[in-house]
Amino acid sequence: MRDYKWLNEYCLNRFGSAAELEAHLPVPKTPAQLRKISDDRYLSTMALRVFRAGLKHSLVDAKWPAFEEVFFKFDPEKVVLMSAEHLERLMQDARIIRHLGKLKSVPRNAQFVLDVAHEQGSFGAMIADWPVTDIVGLWTFLKKRGSQLGGLSAPRFLRMVGKDTFVPSYDVVAALNAQNIIDKVPGSLRDLALVQDVFNQWHEESGGRPMSQISMMLAYTVNH
C-alpha cells in the first residue's frame, strides 16, 4: 500500500499546483454547520438520494419541487402520518416519479429521522457527532435503520448533506484495487473495516485532510 505522501505528490503533479488541486476537492461542512441543518432538509436529501439511485439525476432533480409539495416540504412529523392509501394516490401524480417502493421509503425514513431526533436531540446532531474514523459505521447504521439506504446510497447521502466521508465509487475501488487493498466495492464488515483502516491511515499521515478529499484524490489516480 502506498502512503499519503505518494498520493499527494501524484495529485500535485497531475494538477500542477497545490492551489489547483485544492480547487478540485470537496469541502465538507463543519459539525456546527451539520447541526444547523433541519431534520426536514435531512429527510428531503435522503429521499432525493433514494430516488436518484438508478435514475438520471437531472430527471429527478427537475421533479423535486413537486416532491417537496406532495411530501409537505418533508416535515417528518407530517410525512410519517402518510397512509398507504395516500401513497397509492401519489402513484397517479404525473409530476413525480411514480415508484411505489421508493415512495414508501419516505414515511419510513421520516420515522427514522424522528426516532434519531428523539434519541439524540436532532438528526443533525447524530450526523455531526459521528466520528469520521468510523464513517463506515455510520453507513451501516443508516442502512440498518433507514429504508433503501444500502449500497452506495448511505455514503452518497452523507456527501450530499456535507458530512465528511469517502465514497467507494468505481474509480476509488479501482485505485484501491491497484494497491492490492480490495478488488470490489466493500460490502462485508471485514472489507468495510479494512477500507476504513486504510483511509484512517492516510487521514493521519496527511495531518487530518478530510476523508472526502482523500477519496477524490484517490479517484484522480485512475486513468481512463
Side-chain angles (χ1 to χ4, degrees), residues 24-98:
H24 286 80
L25 298 177
V27 179
K29 287 184 170 64
T30 66
Q33 290 173 322
L34 291 168
R35 285 177 177 275
K36 288 182 179 179
I37 299 173
S38 59
D39 287 348
D40 63 286
R41 292 304 87 200
Y42 277 111
L43 179 59
S44 176
T45 306
M46 196 180 295
L48 177 59
R49 171 54 211 167
V50 169
F51 276 90
R52 276 182 174 181
L55 296 174
K56 190 174 182 180
H57 291 187
S58 60
L59 170 66
V60 180
D61 295 352
K63 290 178 175 288
W64 209 247
F67 275 90
E68 289 280 349
E69 179 183 336
V70 302
F71 281 108
F72 309 104
K73 297 183 179 179
F74 290 95
D75 180 341
E77 296 279 4
K78 294 179 179 178
V79 174
V80 77
L81 298 176
M82 295 175 73
S83 65
E85 292 76 15
H86 192 151
L87 297 177
E88 288 286 355
R89 289 196 297 273
L90 290 183
M91 288 292 289
Q92 310 305 315
D93 192 332
R95 297 175 301 159
I96 65 173
I97 295 167
R98 292 171 287 182

Coordinates of all heavy atoms in Angstrom, one line a residue, residues 24-98:
H24 N -10.1 21.5 -6.9 CA -10.9 20.3 -7.4 C -11.3 19.4 -6.3 O -11.8 18.3 -6.6 CB -10.0 19.6 -8.4 CG -9.9 20.3 -9.8 ND1 -9.0 21.3 -10.0 CD2 -10.5 20.1 -10.9 CE1 -9.1 21.8 -11.2 NE2 -10.0 21.0 -11.8
L25 N -11.2 19.8 -5.1 CA -11.6 18.9 -4.0 C -12.8 19.4 -3.2 O -13.0 20.6 -3.1 CB -10.4 18.8 -3.0 CG -9.1 18.1 -3.6 CD1 -8.0 18.1 -2.5 CD2 -9.3 16.7 -4.1
P26 N -13.6 18.5 -2.8 CA -14.8 18.9 -2.0 C -14.4 19.5 -0.6 O -13.4 19.1 -0.1 CB -15.6 17.6 -1.9 CG -14.6 16.5 -1.9 CD -13.5 17.0 -2.9
V27 N -15.3 20.3 -0.1 CA -15.1 20.9 1.3 C -16.2 20.5 2.1 O -17.4 21.0 1.9 CB -14.9 22.4 1.2 CG1 -14.7 22.9 2.7 CG2 -13.8 22.8 0.3
P28 N -16.0 19.5 3.1 CA -17.2 19.1 3.9 C -17.6 20.2 4.9 O -16.8 21.1 5.2 CB -16.6 17.9 4.6 CG -15.1 18.2 4.7 CD -14.8 18.8 3.4
K29 N -18.8 20.1 5.4 CA -19.3 21.0 6.3 C -18.7 20.7 7.7 O -18.3 19.6 8.0 CB -20.9 20.9 6.4 CG -21.6 21.5 5.3 CD -23.1 21.5 5.5 CE -23.8 22.3 4.4 NZ -23.7 21.8 3.1
T30 N -18.7 21.7 8.5 CA -18.2 21.5 9.9 C -19.3 20.9 10.8 O -20.5 20.9 10.4 CB -17.8 22.9 10.5 OG1 -19.0 23.7 10.7 CG2 -16.8 23.6 9.7
P31 N -19.0 20.3 11.9 CA -20.0 19.8 12.8 C -21.1 20.8 13.1 O -22.3 20.5 13.2 CB -19.2 19.3 14.0 CG -17.9 18.9 13.4 CD -17.6 20.0 12.4
A32 N -20.6 22.1 13.3 CA -21.6 23.1 13.7 C -22.6 23.4 12.5 O -23.8 23.6 12.7 CB -20.9 24.4 14.0
Q33 N -22.1 23.3 11.3 CA -22.9 23.5 10.1 C -23.9 22.4 10.0 O -25.1 22.6 9.6 CB -22.1 23.7 8.9 CG -21.3 25.0 8.8 CD -20.3 25.1 7.7 OE1 -19.7 24.1 7.3 NE2 -20.2 26.2 7.0
L34 N -23.4 21.2 10.2 CA -24.3 20.0 10.1 C -25.4 20.0 11.1 O -26.5 19.6 10.9 CB -23.5 18.7 10.3 CG -22.5 18.4 9.1 CD1 -21.5 17.3 9.5 CD2 -23.2 18.0 7.9
R35 N -25.1 20.5 12.3 CA -26.1 20.6 13.4 C -27.2 21.6 13.0 O -28.4 21.5 13.5 CB -25.5 21.0 14.7 CG -24.7 19.9 15.4 CD -24.0 20.5 16.7 NE -23.3 19.4 17.4 CZ -23.9 18.6 18.2 NH1 -25.2 18.7 18.5 NH2 -23.2 17.7 18.9
K36 N -26.9 22.6 12.2 CA -27.8 23.6 11.9 C -28.8 23.2 10.8 O -29.9 23.8 10.6 CB -27.1 24.9 11.4 CG -26.4 25.7 12.5 CD -25.7 26.9 12.0 CE -25.0 27.7 13.1 NZ -24.4 28.9 12.6
I37 N -28.5 22.1 10.1 CA -29.4 21.6 9.1 C -30.6 21.0 9.8 O -30.5 20.2 10.6 CB -28.7 20.6 8.2 CG1 -27.5 21.2 7.5 CG2 -29.7 20.0 7.1 CD1 -26.7 20.2 6.7
S38 N -31.8 21.5 9.4 CA -33.0 21.0 10.0 C -33.4 19.6 9.6 O -32.9 19.1 8.5 CB -34.2 21.9 9.7 OG -34.4 22.0 8.3
D39 N -34.2 18.9 10.4 CA -34.5 17.5 10.1 C -35.2 17.3 8.8 O -35.1 16.3 8.1 CB -35.3 16.9 11.3 CG -34.5 16.7 12.5 OD1 -33.2 16.7 12.4 OD2 -35.0 16.4 13.6
D40 N -36.1 18.3 8.4 CA -36.8 18.2 7.2 C -35.9 18.2 6.0 O -36.1 17.6 5.0 CB -37.9 19.3 7.0 CG -37.3 20.7 7.0 OD1 -36.8 21.2 8.1 OD2 -37.2 21.3 5.9
R41 N -34.7 19.0 6.1 CA -33.8 19.0 5.0 C -33.0 17.7 4.9 O -32.6 17.2 3.8 CB -32.8 20.2 5.1 CG -33.5 21.6 5.0 CD -34.2 21.7 3.6 NE -35.6 21.2 3.7 CZ -36.3 20.9 2.6 NH1 -35.7 20.9 1.4 NH2 -37.5 20.5 2.7
Y42 N -32.7 17.1 6.0 CA -32.1 15.8 6.0 C -33.0 14.8 5.4 O -32.6 14.0 4.5 CB -31.7 15.3 7.4 CG -30.4 15.9 7.9 CD1 -30.3 16.8 8.9 CD2 -29.2 15.5 7.3 CE1 -29.1 17.3 9.4 CE2 -28.0 16.0 7.7 CZ -27.9 16.9 8.8 OH -26.7 17.4 9.2
L43 N -34.3 14.8 5.7 CA -35.2 13.9 5.1 C -35.4 14.1 3.6 O -35.4 13.2 2.8 CB -36.6 14.0 5.8 CG -37.7 13.1 5.3 CD1 -37.3 11.6 5.4 CD2 -39.0 13.3 6.0
S44 N -35.4 15.4 3.2 CA -35.5 15.7 1.8 C -34.3 15.1 1.0 O -34.5 14.5 0.0 CB -35.6 17.2 1.6 OG -35.7 17.5 0.2
T45 N -33.1 15.4 1.6 CA -31.9 14.9 0.9 C -31.9 13.4 0.9 O -31.4 12.8 -0.1 CB -30.7 15.5 1.5 OG1 -30.8 16.9 1.6 CG2 -29.4 15.1 0.8
M46 N -32.3 12.8 1.9 CA -32.3 11.3 2.0 C -33.3 10.8 0.9 O -32.9 9.8 0.2 CB -32.8 10.9 3.4 CG -32.6 9.4 3.7 SD -33.2 9.0 5.4 CE -32.1 10.1 6.4
A47 N -34.4 11.4 0.8 CA -35.4 10.9 -0.3 C -34.8 11.2 -1.7 O -35.0 10.4 -2.6 CB -36.7 11.7 -0.1
L48 N -34.2 12.3 -1.8 CA -33.6 12.7 -3.1 C -32.6 11.6 -3.5 O -32.5 11.2 -4.7 CB -32.9 14.1 -3.1 CG -32.2 14.5 -4.3 CD1 -33.1 14.6 -5.5 CD2 -31.6 15.9 -4.1
R49 N -31.7 11.2 -2.6 CA -30.7 10.2 -2.9 C -31.4 8.8 -3.3 O -31.0 8.2 -4.2 CB -29.8 9.9 -1.7 CG -28.9 8.8 -1.8 CD -28.1 8.8 -3.1 NE -27.8 7.4 -3.6 CZ -27.3 7.2 -4.8 NH1 -27.1 8.2 -5.6 NH2 -27.1 6.0 -5.2
V50 N -32.5 8.5 -2.5 CA -33.2 7.2 -2.8 C -33.8 7.3 -4.2 O -33.6 6.3 -5.0 CB -34.3 7.0 -1.8 CG1 -35.2 5.9 -2.2 CG2 -33.7 6.7 -0.4
F51 N -34.4 8.4 -4.6 CA -35.0 8.5 -6.0 C -33.9 8.6 -7.0 O -34.1 8.2 -8.2 CB -36.0 9.6 -6.0 CG -37.3 9.2 -5.5 CD1 -37.6 9.4 -4.2 CD2 -38.3 8.7 -6.4 CE1 -38.9 9.0 -3.7 CE2 -39.5 8.3 -5.9 CZ -39.8 8.4 -4.5
R52 N -32.8 9.2 -6.7 CA -31.7 9.3 -7.7 C -31.1 8.0 -8.1 O -30.6 7.8 -9.2 CB -30.6 10.2 -7.2 CG -30.8 11.7 -7.4 CD -29.6 12.5 -6.9 NE -29.6 13.9 -7.2 CZ -28.7 14.7 -6.8 NH1 -27.6 14.3 -6.2 NH2 -28.8 16.0 -7.1
A53 N -31.1 7.0 -7.1 CA -30.5 5.7 -7.3 C -31.0 5.0 -8.6 O -32.2 4.8 -8.6 CB -30.6 4.9 -6.1
G54 N -30.2 4.8 -9.5 CA -30.6 4.1 -10.7 C -31.3 4.9 -11.8 O -31.7 4.4 -12.8
L55 N -31.4 6.2 -11.5 CA -32.1 7.1 -12.4 C -31.1 8.3 -12.8 O -30.2 8.6 -12.1 CB -33.4 7.7 -11.9 CG -34.5 6.6 -11.6 CD1 -35.6 7.3 -10.9 CD2 -35.0 6.0 -12.8
K56 N -31.5 8.9 -13.9 CA -30.7 10.1 -14.3 C -30.9 11.2 -13.3 O -32.1 11.6 -13.0 CB -31.1 10.6 -15.7 CG -30.2 11.6 -16.3 CD -30.6 11.9 -17.7 CE -29.7 13.0 -18.3 NZ -30.0 13.2 -19.8
H57 N -29.9 11.7 -12.7 CA -30.0 12.7 -11.6 C -30.8 14.0 -12.0 O -31.6 14.5 -11.3 CB -28.7 13.1 -11.0 CG -28.0 12.0 -10.3 ND1 -26.8 12.1 -9.6 CD2 -28.3 10.7 -10.1 CE1 -26.5 11.0 -9.0 NE2 -27.4 10.1 -9.3
S58 N -30.5 14.4 -13.3 CA -31.2 15.6 -13.7 C -32.7 15.5 -13.8 O -33.5 16.4 -13.6 CB -30.6 16.1 -15.1 OG -30.8 15.1 -16.0
L59 N -33.1 14.2 -14.2 CA -34.5 14.0 -14.3 C -35.2 14.1 -12.9 O -36.3 14.7 -12.7 CB -34.7 12.5 -14.8 CG -36.2 12.0 -14.8 CD1 -37.1 12.8 -15.7 CD2 -36.2 10.5 -15.2
V60 N -34.5 13.5 -11.9 CA -35.1 13.5 -10.5 C -35.1 14.9 -10.0 O -36.1 15.4 -9.4 CB -34.3 12.6 -9.6 CG1 -34.8 12.6 -8.2 CG2 -34.3 11.2 -10.1
D61 N -34.0 15.6 -10.2 CA -33.8 17.0 -9.7 C -34.9 17.9 -10.3 O -35.4 18.8 -9.6 CB -32.4 17.5 -10.0 CG -31.3 16.8 -9.2 OD1 -31.7 15.9 -8.4 OD2 -30.1 17.0 -9.5
A62 N -35.2 17.7 -11.5 CA -36.2 18.6 -12.2 C -37.6 18.4 -11.6 O -38.4 19.4 -11.6 CB -36.2 18.3 -13.7
K63 N -37.8 17.2 -11.1 CA -39.1 17.0 -10.5 C -39.2 17.2 -9.0 O -40.3 17.1 -8.3 CB -39.5 15.5 -10.7 CG -39.8 15.2 -12.2 CD -40.2 13.7 -12.3 CE -40.6 13.4 -13.8 NZ -42.0 13.9 -14.1
W64 N -38.1 17.6 -8.4 CA -38.0 17.7 -6.9 C -38.9 18.8 -6.3 O -39.5 18.5 -5.2 CB -36.6 17.9 -6.4 CG -36.5 17.3 -5.0 CD1 -36.2 17.9 -3.9 CD2 -36.6 15.9 -4.7 NE1 -36.2 17.0 -2.8 CE2 -36.5 15.8 -3.3 CE3 -36.9 14.7 -5.5 CZ2 -36.6 14.5 -2.7 CZ3 -37.0 13.5 -4.8 CH2 -36.9 13.4 -3.5
P65 N -39.2 19.9 -7.0 CA -40.1 20.9 -6.4 C -41.5 20.2 -6.2 O -42.2 20.5 -5.2 CB -40.2 22.0 -7.4 CG -38.8 22.0 -8.0 CD -38.5 20.5 -8.1
A66 N -41.9 19.3 -7.1 CA -43.2 18.7 -6.9 C -43.1 17.7 -5.7 O -44.1 17.5 -5.0 CB -43.6 17.9 -8.2
F67 N -42.0 17.0 -5.6 CA -41.8 16.1 -4.4 C -41.9 16.9 -3.1 O -42.6 16.5 -2.1 CB -40.5 15.4 -4.5 CG -40.5 14.2 -5.3 CD1 -40.2 14.2 -6.6 CD2 -40.7 12.9 -4.7 CE1 -40.1 13.1 -7.4 CE2 -40.7 11.8 -5.5 CZ -40.4 11.9 -6.8
E68 N -41.3 18.1 -3.1 CA -41.4 19.0 -1.9 C -42.8 19.3 -1.6 O -43.2 19.3 -0.4 CB -40.6 20.2 -2.1 CG -39.1 20.0 -2.1 CD -38.5 19.9 -0.7 OE1 -39.2 20.2 0.3 OE2 -37.3 19.6 -0.6
E69 N -43.6 19.5 -2.6 CA -45.0 19.8 -2.4 C -45.8 18.7 -1.9 O -46.5 18.8 -0.9 CB -45.6 20.3 -3.7 CG -47.1 20.7 -3.6 CD -47.7 21.1 -4.9 OE1 -47.0 21.6 -5.8 OE2 -48.9 21.0 -5.1
V70 N -45.7 17.5 -2.5 CA -46.6 16.4 -2.1 C -46.2 15.8 -0.8 O -47.0 15.1 -0.2 CB -46.6 15.3 -3.3 CG1 -47.2 15.9 -4.6 CG2 -45.3 14.6 -3.5
F71 N -44.9 16.0 -0.4 CA -44.4 15.4 0.9 C -44.3 16.5 1.9 O -43.5 16.4 2.9 CB -43.1 14.7 0.7 CG -43.2 13.3 0.1 CD1 -42.8 13.1 -1.2 CD2 -43.8 12.3 0.8 CE1 -43.0 11.8 -1.8 CE2 -43.9 11.0 0.3 CZ -43.5 10.8 -1.0
F72 N -45.2 17.6 1.8 CA -45.3 18.6 2.9 C -44.0 19.2 3.3 O -43.7 19.4 4.4 CB -46.0 18.0 4.1 CG -47.2 17.2 3.8 CD1 -47.3 15.8 3.8 CD2 -48.4 17.9 3.5 CE1 -48.4 15.1 3.5 CE2 -49.6 17.2 3.3 CZ -49.6 15.9 3.3
K73 N -43.1 19.5 2.2 CA -41.8 20.0 2.4 C -40.9 19.1 3.3 O -40.0 19.6 4.0 CB -41.9 21.5 3.0 CG -42.6 22.4 2.0 CD -42.6 23.9 2.6 CE -43.2 24.8 1.6 NZ -43.2 26.2 2.1
F74 N -41.3 17.9 3.3 CA -40.5 16.8 4.0 C -40.5 17.1 5.6 O -39.5 16.7 6.2 CB -39.1 16.6 3.5 CG -39.2 16.0 2.1 CD1 -39.1 16.8 0.9 CD2 -39.3 14.6 2.0 CE1 -39.2 16.2 -0.3 CE2 -39.4 14.0 0.7 CZ -39.3 14.8 -0.4
D75 N -41.5 17.7 6.1 CA -41.7 17.8 7.5 C -41.9 16.4 8.0 O -42.9 15.8 7.8 CB -42.9 18.7 7.8 CG -43.1 18.8 9.3 OD1 -42.6 18.0 10.1 OD2 -43.8 19.8 9.7
P76 N -41.0 15.8 8.8 CA -41.1 14.4 9.2 C -42.3 14.1 10.0 O -42.9 13.0 10.0 CB -39.8 14.1 10.0 CG -39.3 15.5 10.4 CD -39.7 16.4 9.3
E77 N -42.8 15.1 10.8 CA -44.0 15.0 11.6 C -45.2 14.8 10.8 O -46.2 14.0 11.2 CB -44.2 16.2 12.6 CG -43.1 16.4 13.6 CD -43.2 15.5 14.8 OE1 -44.2 14.7 14.8 OE2 -42.4 15.6 15.7
K78 N -45.3 15.4 9.6 CA -46.4 15.2 8.7 C -46.2 14.0 7.8 O -47.2 13.2 7.6 CB -46.5 16.5 7.9 CG -46.9 17.7 8.7 CD -47.0 18.9 7.8 CE -47.4 20.2 8.6 NZ -47.5 21.4 7.7
V79 N -45.0 13.8 7.3 CA -44.8 12.7 6.4 C -45.0 11.4 7.0 O -45.6 10.4 6.4 CB -43.3 12.8 5.8 CG1 -43.0 11.5 5.0 CG2 -43.1 14.0 5.0
V80 N -44.7 11.2 8.3 CA -44.8 10.0 9.0 C -46.3 9.5 9.1 O -46.6 8.3 9.3 CB -44.2 10.0 10.4 CG1 -45.1 10.8 11.4 CG2 -43.8 8.6 10.9
L81 N -47.2 10.5 8.9 CA -48.6 10.2 9.0 C -49.3 9.8 7.7 O -50.4 9.4 7.6 CB -49.4 11.4 9.6 CG -49.0 11.8 11.0 CD1 -49.7 13.1 11.4 CD2 -49.3 10.7 12.0
M82 N -48.5 9.8 6.6 CA -49.0 9.5 5.3 C -49.3 8.0 5.2 O -48.5 7.1 5.5 CB -48.0 9.8 4.2 CG -47.8 11.3 4.1 SD -46.5 11.8 2.9 CE -47.3 11.5 1.4
S83 N -50.6 7.7 4.9 CA -51.1 6.3 4.9 C -50.7 5.6 3.6 O -50.3 6.3 2.6 CB -52.6 6.3 5.0 OG -53.2 6.9 3.9
A84 N -50.9 4.3 3.5 CA -50.6 3.5 2.3 C -51.5 4.0 1.2 O -51.1 4.1 0.0 CB -50.8 2.1 2.6
E85 N -52.8 4.4 1.6 CA -53.7 4.9 0.6 C -53.3 6.2 0.0 O -53.4 6.5 -1.2 CB -55.1 5.1 1.2 CG -55.8 3.8 1.6 CD -55.2 3.1 2.9 OE1 -54.5 3.8 3.6 OE2 -55.5 1.9 3.1
H86 N -52.7 7.1 0.8 CA -52.1 8.3 0.4 C -51.0 8.1 -0.6 O -51.0 8.8 -1.7 CB -51.6 9.1 1.6 CG -51.3 10.6 1.3 ND1 -51.4 11.6 2.2 CD2 -50.9 11.2 0.1 CE1 -51.1 12.7 1.7 NE2 -50.8 12.5 0.4
L87 N -50.2 7.2 -0.3 CA -49.1 6.9 -1.3 C -49.6 6.3 -2.6 O -49.0 6.6 -3.6 CB -48.1 5.9 -0.6 CG -47.3 6.5 0.7 CD1 -46.5 5.4 1.3 CD2 -46.5 7.7 0.3
E88 N -50.6 5.5 -2.5 CA -51.2 4.9 -3.7 C -51.8 6.0 -4.6 O -51.7 6.0 -5.8 CB -52.3 3.9 -3.3 CG -51.8 2.6 -2.7 CD -51.2 1.7 -3.8 OE1 -51.3 2.0 -5.0 OE2 -50.7 0.6 -3.4
R89 N -52.3 7.1 -3.9 CA -52.9 8.2 -4.7 C -51.7 8.9 -5.4 O -51.9 9.5 -6.5 CB -53.7 9.1 -3.8 CG -55.0 8.6 -3.4 CD -55.9 9.7 -2.8 NE -55.4 10.3 -1.6 CZ -55.5 9.9 -0.4 NH1 -56.2 8.8 -0.2 NH2 -55.0 10.5 0.6
L90 N -50.6 9.0 -4.7 CA -49.4 9.7 -5.4 C -49.0 9.0 -6.6 O -48.3 9.6 -7.5 CB -48.3 9.8 -4.4 CG -48.4 10.7 -3.2 CD1 -47.2 10.8 -2.3 CD2 -48.8 12.2 -3.7
M91 N -49.3 7.7 -6.7 CA -48.9 6.9 -7.9 C -49.6 7.4 -9.2 O -49.3 7.1 -10.3 CB -49.2 5.4 -7.7 CG -48.3 4.8 -6.7 SD -46.6 4.6 -7.4 CE -46.8 3.4 -8.7
Q92 N -50.7 8.3 -9.0 CA -51.4 8.9 -10.1 C -50.9 10.3 -10.4 O -51.4 10.9 -11.4 CB -52.9 8.9 -9.7 CG -53.5 7.6 -9.2 CD -53.2 6.5 -10.2 OE1 -53.4 6.6 -11.4 NE2 -52.8 5.3 -9.6
D93 N -49.9 10.8 -9.7 CA -49.5 12.1 -9.8 C -48.3 12.1 -10.8 O -47.2 11.7 -10.5 CB -49.0 12.7 -8.5 CG -48.8 14.2 -8.6 OD1 -48.4 14.7 -9.7 OD2 -48.9 14.9 -7.5
A94 N -48.5 12.6 -12.0 CA -47.5 12.6 -13.1 C -46.4 13.5 -12.9 O -45.4 13.5 -13.6 CB -48.2 12.9 -14.4
R95 N -46.5 14.4 -11.9 CA -45.4 15.4 -11.6 C -44.2 14.8 -10.9 O -43.1 15.3 -11.0 CB -46.0 16.5 -10.8 CG -47.1 17.4 -11.4 CD -47.6 18.4 -10.4 NE -48.1 17.7 -9.2 CZ -48.2 18.3 -8.0 NH1 -47.9 19.6 -7.9 NH2 -48.7 17.7 -7.0
I96 N -44.4 13.6 -10.3 CA -43.4 13.0 -9.6 C -43.0 11.7 -10.2 O -43.6 11.2 -11.2 CB -43.8 12.7 -8.1 CG1 -44.9 11.7 -8.0 CG2 -44.1 14.1 -7.4 CD1 -45.3 11.3 -6.6
I97 N -41.9 11.0 -9.7 CA -41.5 9.7 -10.2 C -42.4 8.7 -9.4 O -42.3 8.6 -8.2 CB -40.0 9.5 -10.0 CG1 -39.2 10.5 -10.8 CG2 -39.6 8.1 -10.3 CD1 -37.8 10.6 -10.5
R98 N -43.2 7.9 -10.2 CA -44.1 7.0 -9.6 C -43.5 5.6 -9.4 O -43.8 4.7 -10.2 CB -45.4 7.0 -10.4 CG -46.1 8.3 -10.3 CD -47.3 8.4 -11.3 NE -46.8 8.6 -12.7 CZ -47.6 8.7 -13.8 NH1 -48.9 8.7 -13.6 NH2 -47.1 8.9 -15.0

